[in-house]
Amino acid sequence: MSFGGHGDPAAQRPASRPSAQPTSYGTPSYTQPQYAPQQQYVPPQYAQQPQYVQPQSYPQTASTPISPVYGSVLAQRPEHHGAIAYDAYTPPAPVQAVPALPVPSAKGRHASVWAFGALGFVLLGLIAYFVWALGPAASMIGMVLALVPLTIVFFGVFFIDRWEPEPRSLVAFAIAWGAIASIGLALLVDLLLTLLVGERSSDLAAVIQAPIVEESAKGLGVFLIFLMARRTFDGPVDGIVYGALVGAGFAFTENIQYFAISLIEGGAPDLTVTFVLRGLMSPFAHAMFTSVTGFAIGLAARRGASAGRALGFGAVGLLGAMALHALWNGSSMIGNFFVLYFVLQVPLFAGFIVAVILLRKEEARLTYARLGDYATAGWFTPQEVSMLATPAGRRAGLQWASGLRGDRRPIMRGFIKDATTLASVRQRIITGRDPLAAQDEQVLLHRTHAARDALLAV
Protein backbone atom coordinates (compact mmCIF):
# COMPACT_ATOMS: atom_id res chain seq x y z
CA MET A 1 0.00 0.00 0.00
CA SER A 2 0.96 3.56 -0.22
CA PHE A 3 0.49 6.45 2.10
CA GLY A 4 -1.38 8.18 -0.66
CA GLY A 5 -4.07 5.55 -1.25
CA HIS A 6 -5.59 2.22 -0.39
CA GLY A 7 -5.15 0.30 -3.64
CA ASP A 8 -2.28 -1.94 -2.40
CA PRO A 9 -3.40 -5.51 -1.67
CA ALA A 10 -2.35 -6.87 1.20
CA ALA A 11 44.91 -8.80 -7.31
CA GLN A 12 48.27 -7.16 -7.86
CA ARG A 13 51.51 -9.22 -8.08
CA PRO A 14 53.11 -9.79 -4.64
CA ALA A 15 55.93 -7.37 -3.84
CA SER A 16 58.10 -10.36 -2.98
CA ARG A 17 57.24 -13.60 -4.73
CA PRO A 18 57.00 -16.42 -2.19
CA SER A 19 59.43 -19.28 -2.46
CA ALA A 20 57.89 -22.74 -2.24
CA GLN A 21 59.77 -25.29 -0.15
CA PRO A 22 58.24 -28.70 0.43
CA THR A 23 57.15 -29.35 4.00
CA SER A 24 55.87 -32.37 5.79
CA TYR A 25 52.37 -31.31 4.77
CA GLY A 26 53.12 -31.16 1.09
CA THR A 27 51.96 -27.51 1.00
CA PRO A 28 54.35 -24.78 -0.13
CA SER A 29 55.96 -22.92 2.77
CA TYR A 30 56.13 -19.19 2.17
CA THR A 31 58.84 -16.83 3.27
CA GLN A 32 57.35 -13.75 4.84
CA PRO A 33 56.98 -11.20 2.03
CA GLN A 34 58.20 -7.68 2.51
CA TYR A 35 55.41 -5.38 1.52
CA ALA A 36 56.34 -2.11 -0.03
CA PRO A 37 53.72 0.56 -0.59
CA GLN A 38 52.81 0.85 -4.23
CA GLN A 39 50.98 3.70 -5.84
CA GLN A 40 49.97 1.96 -9.02
CA TYR A 41 48.84 -1.55 -9.69
CA VAL A 42 51.03 -3.53 -12.11
CA PRO A 43 49.38 -6.70 -13.40
CA PRO A 44 51.33 -9.80 -12.41
CA GLN A 45 53.31 -11.56 -15.10
CA TYR A 46 52.67 -15.24 -14.85
CA ALA A 47 55.40 -16.65 -17.06
CA GLN A 48 55.47 -20.09 -15.54
CA GLN A 49 52.98 -22.22 -13.65
CA PRO A 50 54.42 -23.23 -10.25
CA GLN A 51 54.75 -26.94 -9.65
CA TYR A 52 52.81 -28.18 -6.65
CA VAL A 53 53.05 -31.34 -4.64
CA GLN A 54 49.52 -32.55 -4.03
CA PRO A 55 48.98 -31.57 -0.38
CA GLN A 56 47.54 -34.03 2.08
CA SER A 57 46.46 -31.39 4.57
CA TYR A 58 43.13 -30.33 3.06
CA PRO A 59 40.88 -33.36 2.56
CA GLN A 60 37.98 -33.07 0.19
CA THR A 61 35.13 -34.60 2.11
CA ALA A 62 36.21 -36.03 5.47
CA SER A 63 38.10 -34.97 8.55
CA THR A 64 41.71 -36.01 8.98
CA PRO A 65 42.01 -38.72 11.68
CA ILE A 66 43.61 -37.29 14.78
CA SER A 67 45.60 -39.54 17.14
CA PRO A 68 44.01 -39.69 20.61
CA VAL A 69 45.47 -37.29 23.13
CA TYR A 70 45.09 -38.26 26.79
CA GLY A 71 45.05 -35.83 29.68
CA SER A 72 47.12 -38.16 31.91
CA VAL A 73 48.70 -41.60 31.98
CA LEU A 74 45.77 -42.93 33.98
CA ALA A 75 43.40 -41.84 31.26
CA GLN A 76 45.15 -43.91 28.61
CA ARG A 77 43.75 -47.15 27.30
CA PRO A 78 45.10 -50.36 28.88
CA GLU A 79 47.19 -51.22 25.85
CA HIS A 80 49.14 -47.99 26.40
CA HIS A 81 50.12 -48.90 29.96
CA GLY A 82 53.72 -49.98 30.41
CA ALA A 83 57.12 -48.70 31.26
CA ILE A 84 57.11 -46.08 28.54
CA ALA A 85 53.57 -45.03 29.26
CA TYR A 86 54.44 -44.16 32.86
CA ASP A 87 57.30 -41.87 31.95
CA ALA A 88 56.94 -38.17 32.64
CA TYR A 89 54.02 -36.87 30.65
CA THR A 90 54.64 -33.94 28.31
CA PRO A 91 51.44 -32.06 27.43
CA PRO A 92 50.93 -31.10 23.81
CA ALA A 93 51.68 -27.60 22.65
CA PRO A 94 48.64 -25.32 22.55
CA VAL A 95 46.89 -24.80 19.25
CA GLN A 96 48.42 -21.93 17.37
CA ALA A 97 45.87 -19.18 16.88
CA VAL A 98 45.97 -16.49 14.24
CA PRO A 99 48.05 -13.66 15.73
CA ALA A 100 46.97 -10.07 15.76
CA LEU A 101 46.96 -9.01 12.14
CA PRO A 102 46.51 -5.80 10.22
CA VAL A 103 43.04 -5.19 8.79
CA PRO A 104 42.05 -3.67 5.46
CA SER A 105 41.26 0.02 5.44
CA ALA A 106 37.73 0.76 6.65
CA LYS A 107 37.48 3.86 4.47
CA GLY A 108 34.59 3.60 2.05
CA ARG A 109 33.21 0.45 3.68
CA HIS A 110 30.80 1.67 6.35
CA ALA A 111 27.83 3.96 6.78
CA SER A 112 28.53 7.44 8.11
CA VAL A 113 27.68 8.03 11.74
CA TRP A 114 26.21 11.35 10.65
CA ALA A 115 23.76 9.52 8.41
CA PHE A 116 22.54 7.50 11.37
CA GLY A 117 22.26 10.69 13.39
CA ALA A 118 20.05 12.31 10.74
CA LEU A 119 17.85 9.21 10.61
CA GLY A 120 17.47 9.41 14.39
CA PHE A 121 15.89 12.85 14.14
CA VAL A 122 13.47 11.68 11.45
CA LEU A 123 12.59 8.66 13.59
CA LEU A 124 11.50 10.90 16.44
CA GLY A 125 9.15 12.70 14.07
CA LEU A 126 7.69 9.42 12.78
CA ILE A 127 7.06 8.14 16.29
CA ALA A 128 5.22 11.32 17.17
CA TYR A 129 3.15 11.05 13.96
CA PHE A 130 2.10 7.44 14.57
CA VAL A 131 1.20 8.05 18.21
CA TRP A 132 -0.86 11.10 17.21
CA ALA A 133 -2.59 9.53 14.20
CA LEU A 134 -3.06 5.94 15.37
CA GLY A 135 -2.63 5.94 19.12
CA PRO A 136 0.08 4.22 21.16
CA ALA A 137 -1.75 0.90 21.66
CA ALA A 138 -2.64 0.28 18.00
CA SER A 139 0.82 1.43 16.90
CA MET A 140 2.50 -0.98 19.30
CA ILE A 141 0.35 -3.92 18.16
CA GLY A 142 1.03 -3.02 14.54
CA MET A 143 4.78 -2.87 15.19
CA VAL A 144 4.87 -6.30 16.84
CA LEU A 145 2.99 -7.87 13.93
CA ALA A 146 5.14 -6.03 11.38
CA LEU A 147 8.22 -7.76 12.82
CA VAL A 148 7.00 -11.07 11.35
CA PRO A 149 7.34 -10.18 7.62
CA LEU A 150 10.51 -8.19 8.39
CA THR A 151 12.07 -11.30 9.95
CA ILE A 152 11.02 -13.45 6.98
CA VAL A 153 12.66 -11.07 4.50
CA PHE A 154 15.77 -10.64 6.64
CA PHE A 155 16.46 -14.38 6.71
CA GLY A 156 15.87 -14.55 2.96
CA VAL A 157 18.39 -11.77 2.39
CA PHE A 158 20.80 -13.44 4.82
CA PHE A 159 20.73 -16.55 2.63
CA ILE A 160 21.49 -14.47 -0.48
CA ASP A 161 24.32 -12.64 1.28
CA ARG A 162 26.08 -15.67 2.80
CA TRP A 163 28.79 -15.90 0.14
CA GLU A 164 30.29 -12.50 0.88
CA PRO A 165 28.41 -10.83 3.76
CA GLU A 166 28.00 -7.07 3.69
CA PRO A 167 29.23 -4.92 6.61
CA ARG A 168 26.77 -4.81 9.47
CA SER A 169 26.68 -1.02 9.55
CA LEU A 170 25.48 -0.96 5.94
CA VAL A 171 22.86 -3.64 6.61
CA ALA A 172 21.57 -1.56 9.52
CA PHE A 173 21.63 1.63 7.44
CA ALA A 174 19.72 0.02 4.57
CA ILE A 175 16.94 -1.18 6.85
CA ALA A 176 16.85 2.13 8.71
CA TRP A 177 16.70 4.16 5.50
CA GLY A 178 13.73 2.17 4.27
CA ALA A 179 11.92 2.21 7.60
CA ILE A 180 12.56 5.88 8.42
CA ALA A 181 13.77 8.10 5.59
CA SER A 182 11.77 6.52 2.75
CA ILE A 183 8.59 6.60 4.82
CA GLY A 184 9.25 10.18 5.85
CA LEU A 185 9.78 11.26 2.23
CA ALA A 186 6.60 9.46 1.12
CA LEU A 187 4.56 11.13 3.86
CA LEU A 188 6.04 14.53 3.04
CA VAL A 189 5.26 14.24 -0.68
CA ASP A 190 1.73 13.04 0.08
CA LEU A 191 1.18 16.03 2.36
CA LEU A 192 2.50 18.47 -0.25
CA LEU A 193 0.30 16.99 -2.99
CA THR A 194 -2.72 17.21 -0.72
CA LEU A 195 -2.02 20.89 -0.06
CA LEU A 196 -1.47 21.60 -3.76
CA VAL A 197 -4.19 19.57 -5.52
CA GLY A 198 -6.41 18.40 -2.69
CA GLU A 199 -7.68 14.87 -2.14
CA ARG A 200 -6.90 12.37 -4.89
CA SER A 201 -8.46 9.14 -6.02
CA SER A 202 -7.15 6.24 -3.96
CA ASP A 203 -6.79 4.10 -7.09
CA LEU A 204 -4.80 6.83 -8.86
CA ALA A 205 -2.57 7.24 -5.82
CA ALA A 206 -1.97 3.51 -5.54
CA VAL A 207 -1.10 2.88 -9.20
CA ILE A 208 0.78 6.13 -10.02
CA GLN A 209 1.75 8.13 -6.96
CA ALA A 210 2.89 5.28 -4.73
CA PRO A 211 5.19 3.55 -7.26
CA ILE A 212 6.84 6.82 -8.31
CA VAL A 213 7.28 8.38 -4.88
CA GLU A 214 8.03 5.29 -2.82
CA GLU A 215 10.43 3.64 -5.26
CA SER A 216 12.28 6.92 -5.77
CA ALA A 217 12.69 7.34 -2.01
CA LYS A 218 13.89 3.76 -1.57
CA GLY A 219 16.17 3.86 -4.62
CA LEU A 220 17.81 6.99 -3.24
CA GLY A 221 18.85 4.98 -0.20
CA VAL A 222 20.55 2.32 -2.35
CA PHE A 223 22.39 5.02 -4.29
CA LEU A 224 23.55 6.67 -1.05
CA ILE A 225 25.00 3.32 0.07
CA PHE A 226 26.89 3.16 -3.23
CA LEU A 227 28.30 6.65 -2.59
CA MET A 228 29.20 6.03 1.06
CA ALA A 229 30.60 2.51 0.70
CA ARG A 230 31.66 2.14 -2.90
CA ARG A 231 34.55 -0.12 -1.87
CA THR A 232 32.16 -2.78 -0.59
CA PHE A 233 29.53 -2.40 -3.32
CA ASP A 234 30.98 -4.99 -5.69
CA GLY A 235 28.23 -6.13 -8.03
CA PRO A 236 24.61 -7.04 -8.73
CA VAL A 237 24.24 -9.39 -5.75
CA ASP A 238 25.28 -6.60 -3.39
CA GLY A 239 22.78 -4.29 -5.08
CA ILE A 240 20.00 -6.83 -4.65
CA VAL A 241 20.90 -7.27 -0.98
CA TYR A 242 20.87 -3.56 -0.25
CA GLY A 243 17.71 -3.00 -2.29
CA ALA A 244 15.88 -5.83 -0.54
CA LEU A 245 16.90 -4.53 2.88
CA VAL A 246 15.71 -1.02 2.07
CA GLY A 247 12.43 -2.44 0.78
CA ALA A 248 12.02 -4.60 3.88
CA GLY A 249 12.53 -1.59 6.12
CA PHE A 250 9.94 0.40 4.17
CA ALA A 251 7.41 -2.44 4.35
CA PHE A 252 7.99 -2.74 8.11
CA THR A 253 6.89 0.81 8.87
CA GLU A 254 4.13 0.76 6.26
CA ASN A 255 2.77 -2.45 7.76
CA ILE A 256 2.61 -0.80 11.19
CA GLN A 257 0.24 1.77 9.69
CA TYR A 258 -1.98 -0.72 7.88
CA PHE A 259 -2.16 -3.20 10.75
CA ALA A 260 -3.05 -0.40 13.17
CA ILE A 261 -5.73 1.05 10.86
CA SER A 262 -7.27 -2.40 10.34
CA LEU A 263 -7.42 -2.92 14.09
CA ILE A 264 -9.01 0.47 14.72
CA GLU A 265 -11.56 0.24 11.91
CA GLY A 266 -12.46 -3.45 11.86
CA GLY A 267 -11.10 -5.03 15.00
CA ALA A 268 -9.42 -8.43 15.13
CA PRO A 269 -11.14 -9.89 12.00
CA ASP A 270 -9.93 -7.09 9.70
CA LEU A 271 -6.50 -7.16 11.32
CA THR A 272 -6.22 -10.90 10.67
CA VAL A 273 -7.08 -10.53 6.97
CA THR A 274 -4.63 -7.66 6.53
CA PHE A 275 -1.88 -9.56 8.33
CA VAL A 276 -2.36 -12.62 6.12
CA LEU A 277 -2.38 -10.58 2.90
CA ARG A 278 0.53 -8.29 3.72
CA GLY A 279 2.54 -10.24 6.28
CA LEU A 280 2.31 -13.79 4.98
CA MET A 281 1.29 -13.70 1.31
CA SER A 282 3.45 -10.77 0.20
CA PRO A 283 6.31 -10.11 2.62
CA PHE A 284 8.85 -9.85 -0.24
CA ALA A 285 6.87 -7.41 -2.41
CA HIS A 286 8.71 -4.17 -1.53
CA ALA A 287 12.00 -6.04 -1.22
CA MET A 288 11.60 -7.38 -4.77
CA PHE A 289 10.65 -3.98 -6.22
CA THR A 290 13.67 -2.13 -4.84
CA SER A 291 16.00 -5.02 -5.65
CA VAL A 292 15.54 -4.15 -9.31
CA THR A 293 17.00 -0.68 -8.66
CA GLY A 294 19.79 -2.21 -6.60
CA PHE A 295 20.58 -4.74 -9.32
CA ALA A 296 21.06 -1.94 -11.86
CA ILE A 297 23.35 0.04 -9.54
CA GLY A 298 25.26 -3.17 -8.82
CA LEU A 299 25.87 -3.68 -12.53
CA ALA A 300 27.36 -0.20 -12.69
CA ALA A 301 29.53 -0.95 -9.65
CA ARG A 302 30.85 -4.18 -11.22
CA ARG A 303 31.93 -2.17 -14.28
CA GLY A 304 33.71 0.44 -12.17
CA ALA A 305 31.26 3.18 -13.11
CA SER A 306 31.47 6.69 -11.74
CA ALA A 307 28.75 8.09 -9.51
CA GLY A 308 27.12 9.77 -12.50
CA ARG A 309 26.97 6.57 -14.55
CA ALA A 310 25.75 4.60 -11.54
CA LEU A 311 22.94 7.13 -11.17
CA GLY A 312 22.01 6.57 -14.81
CA PHE A 313 21.99 2.79 -14.35
CA GLY A 314 19.94 3.24 -11.23
CA ALA A 315 17.37 5.36 -13.07
CA VAL A 316 16.80 2.54 -15.56
CA GLY A 317 16.40 0.07 -12.73
CA LEU A 318 14.05 2.48 -10.99
CA LEU A 319 11.69 2.37 -13.96
CA GLY A 320 11.51 -1.40 -13.62
CA ALA A 321 10.84 -1.11 -9.89
CA MET A 322 8.04 1.38 -10.51
CA ALA A 323 6.47 -0.88 -13.13
CA LEU A 324 6.47 -3.90 -10.80
CA HIS A 325 5.07 -1.79 -7.96
CA ALA A 326 2.27 -0.41 -10.14
CA LEU A 327 1.44 -3.89 -11.42
CA TRP A 328 1.25 -5.23 -7.88
CA ASN A 329 -0.99 -2.41 -6.64
CA GLY A 330 -3.15 -2.54 -9.74
CA SER A 331 -3.82 -6.26 -9.33
CA SER A 332 -6.17 -5.43 -6.47
CA MET A 333 -8.39 -3.48 -8.85
CA ILE A 334 -8.37 -5.74 -11.93
CA GLY A 335 -10.45 -8.88 -11.64
CA ASN A 336 -9.99 -11.38 -8.83
CA PHE A 337 -6.96 -10.56 -6.72
CA PHE A 338 -6.27 -14.15 -5.62
CA VAL A 339 -6.38 -15.44 -9.20
CA LEU A 340 -3.96 -12.74 -10.34
CA TYR A 341 -1.79 -13.40 -7.31
CA PHE A 342 -1.21 -17.04 -8.24
CA VAL A 343 -1.17 -16.49 -12.01
CA LEU A 344 1.01 -13.37 -12.10
CA GLN A 345 2.69 -12.53 -8.80
CA VAL A 346 3.83 -16.01 -7.79
CA PRO A 347 5.58 -16.65 -11.15
CA LEU A 348 7.25 -13.23 -10.89
CA PHE A 349 8.56 -14.07 -7.45
CA ALA A 350 9.73 -17.50 -8.63
CA GLY A 351 11.61 -15.83 -11.49
CA PHE A 352 13.19 -13.44 -9.00
CA ILE A 353 14.46 -16.39 -6.91
CA VAL A 354 15.91 -18.11 -9.99
CA ALA A 355 17.69 -14.90 -11.02
CA VAL A 356 19.21 -14.53 -7.54
CA ILE A 357 20.46 -18.14 -7.58
CA LEU A 358 22.10 -17.63 -10.98
CA LEU A 359 23.73 -14.40 -9.80
CA ARG A 360 25.10 -16.15 -6.72
CA LYS A 361 26.63 -18.85 -8.92
CA GLU A 362 28.24 -16.15 -11.05
CA GLU A 363 29.63 -14.52 -7.91
CA ALA A 364 31.15 -17.85 -6.84
CA ARG A 365 32.61 -18.35 -10.32
CA LEU A 366 34.23 -14.90 -10.18
CA THR A 367 35.70 -15.66 -6.75
CA TYR A 368 37.17 -18.90 -8.11
CA ALA A 369 38.68 -17.10 -11.10
CA ARG A 370 40.27 -14.31 -9.07
CA LEU A 371 41.75 -16.68 -6.48
CA GLY A 372 43.02 -18.72 -9.42
CA ASP A 373 45.11 -15.69 -10.37
CA TYR A 374 46.83 -15.90 -6.99
CA ALA A 375 47.26 -19.65 -7.34
CA THR A 376 49.09 -19.04 -10.62
CA ALA A 377 51.37 -16.60 -8.78
CA GLY A 378 52.03 -19.20 -6.07
CA TRP A 379 49.99 -17.82 -3.16
CA PHE A 380 47.50 -20.72 -3.06
CA THR A 381 47.48 -24.30 -4.26
CA PRO A 382 44.76 -25.34 -6.73
CA GLN A 383 43.25 -27.49 -4.00
CA GLU A 384 43.03 -24.50 -1.67
CA VAL A 385 41.24 -22.48 -4.36
CA SER A 386 38.62 -25.22 -4.62
CA MET A 387 38.28 -25.29 -0.85
CA LEU A 388 37.91 -21.51 -0.56
CA ALA A 389 35.81 -20.71 -3.62
CA THR A 390 33.24 -23.50 -3.94
CA PRO A 391 30.34 -24.32 -1.60
CA ALA A 392 31.31 -28.00 -1.40
CA GLY A 393 34.94 -27.11 -0.77
CA ARG A 394 34.01 -24.76 2.06
CA ARG A 395 31.89 -27.43 3.72
CA ALA A 396 34.70 -29.97 3.43
CA GLY A 397 37.23 -27.47 4.77
CA LEU A 398 35.11 -26.63 7.80
CA GLN A 399 34.51 -30.33 8.48
CA TRP A 400 38.23 -31.00 8.31
CA ALA A 401 39.03 -28.04 10.58
CA SER A 402 36.52 -29.27 13.17
CA GLY A 403 38.52 -32.49 13.53
CA LEU A 404 41.79 -30.72 14.26
CA ARG A 405 42.99 -30.36 17.82
CA GLY A 406 41.20 -27.45 19.42
CA ASP A 407 38.47 -27.27 16.73
CA ARG A 408 39.94 -24.79 14.24
CA ARG A 409 36.72 -23.93 12.44
CA PRO A 410 36.94 -20.26 13.55
CA ILE A 411 40.34 -20.04 11.88
CA MET A 412 38.97 -21.70 8.74
CA ARG A 413 36.03 -19.29 8.64
CA GLY A 414 38.43 -16.37 8.84
CA PHE A 415 40.54 -17.96 6.09
CA ILE A 416 37.48 -18.28 3.84
CA LYS A 417 36.26 -14.76 4.59
CA ASP A 418 39.62 -13.11 3.93
CA ALA A 419 40.15 -15.13 0.73
CA THR A 420 36.71 -14.15 -0.57
CA THR A 421 37.39 -10.50 0.21
CA LEU A 422 40.77 -10.84 -1.50
CA ALA A 423 39.02 -12.03 -4.67
CA SER A 424 36.76 -8.96 -4.59
CA VAL A 425 39.76 -6.69 -4.02
CA ARG A 426 41.51 -8.14 -7.05
CA GLN A 427 38.41 -7.56 -9.16
CA ARG A 428 38.43 -3.92 -8.07
CA ILE A 429 42.13 -3.71 -8.98
CA ILE A 430 41.34 -5.04 -12.45
CA THR A 431 38.59 -2.47 -12.99
CA GLY A 432 40.76 0.29 -11.51
CA ARG A 433 37.94 1.70 -9.41
CA ASP A 434 39.54 1.46 -5.96
CA PRO A 435 42.73 3.44 -5.23
CA LEU A 436 43.17 1.61 -1.89
CA ALA A 437 42.74 -1.89 -3.32
CA ALA A 438 46.49 -2.55 -3.67
CA GLN A 439 46.99 -1.83 0.05
CA ASP A 440 44.11 -4.09 0.98
CA GLU A 441 45.57 -6.81 -1.21
CA GLN A 442 48.84 -6.85 0.74
CA VAL A 443 47.00 -6.98 4.07
CA LEU A 444 44.73 -9.82 2.96
CA LEU A 445 47.60 -11.85 1.53
CA HIS A 446 49.33 -11.54 4.88
CA ARG A 447 46.18 -12.60 6.74
CA THR A 448 45.52 -15.64 4.55
CA HIS A 449 49.16 -16.70 4.89
CA ALA A 450 48.89 -16.50 8.69
CA ALA A 451 45.58 -18.39 8.70
CA ARG A 452 47.11 -21.24 6.67
CA ASP A 453 50.03 -21.46 9.10
CA ALA A 454 47.63 -21.62 12.04
CA LEU A 455 45.54 -24.36 10.40
CA LEU A 456 48.60 -26.49 9.63
CA ALA A 457 50.27 -25.99 13.02
CA VAL A 458 51.06 -29.21 14.89
Side-chain angles (χ1 to χ4, degrees), residues 234-252:
D234 293 314
V237 173
D238 291 349
I240 289 175
V241 167
Y242 292 130
L245 291 172
V246 171
F250 184 94
F252 169 72

Side-chain angles (χ1 to χ4, degrees), residues 151-235:
T151 302
I152 293 173
V153 176
F154 183 81
F155 277 106
V157 174
F158 174 79
F159 175 79
I160 298 172
D161 197 36
R162 283 190 308 169
W163 187 260
E164 185 192 2
E166 303 307 313
R168 294 179 181 178
S169 67
L170 294 177
V171 170
F173 178 81
I175 296 175
W177 178 272
I180 300 171
S182 297
I183 291 290
L185 289 172
L187 285 171
L188 180 60
V189 171
D190 186 63
L191 176 61
L192 292 176
L193 288 176
T194 300
L195 293 176
L196 291 175
V197 301
E199 293 295 331
R200 296 158 319 280
S201 165
S202 60
D203 292 347
L204 182 67
V207 178
I208 298 179
Q209 177 184 325
I212 295 176
V213 175
E214 295 174 6
E215 293 308 320
S216 296
K218 291 185 291 179
L220 177 61
V222 181
F223 183 66
L224 287 177
I225 293 174
F226 173 81
L227 294 180
M228 286 189 302
R230 193 177 307 186
R231 299 182 64 232
T232 194
F233 207 129
D234 293 314

Side-chain angles (χ1 to χ4, degrees), residues 276-292:
V276 171
L277 290 175
R278 295 185 62 87
L280 301 181
M281 292 183 64
S282 56
F284 289 95
H286 276 288
M288 184 172 64
F289 304 153
T290 315
S291 291
V292 177

Side-chain angles (χ1 to χ4, degrees), residues 3 118-136 138-140 143 175-191 217 249-257 260:
F3 289 94
L119 289 176
F121 281 106
V122 180
L123 176 61
L124 294 176
L126 284 179
I127 292 174
Y129 168 79
F130 276 93
V131 171
W132 169 77
L134 304 173
S139 297
M140 183 61 65
M143 183 183 71
I175 296 175
W177 178 272
I180 300 171
S182 297
I183 291 290
L185 289 172
L187 285 171
L188 180 60
V189 171
D190 186 63
L191 176 61
F250 184 94
F252 169 72
T253 306
E254 191 181 51
N255 282 336
I256 295 176
Q257 180 197 30

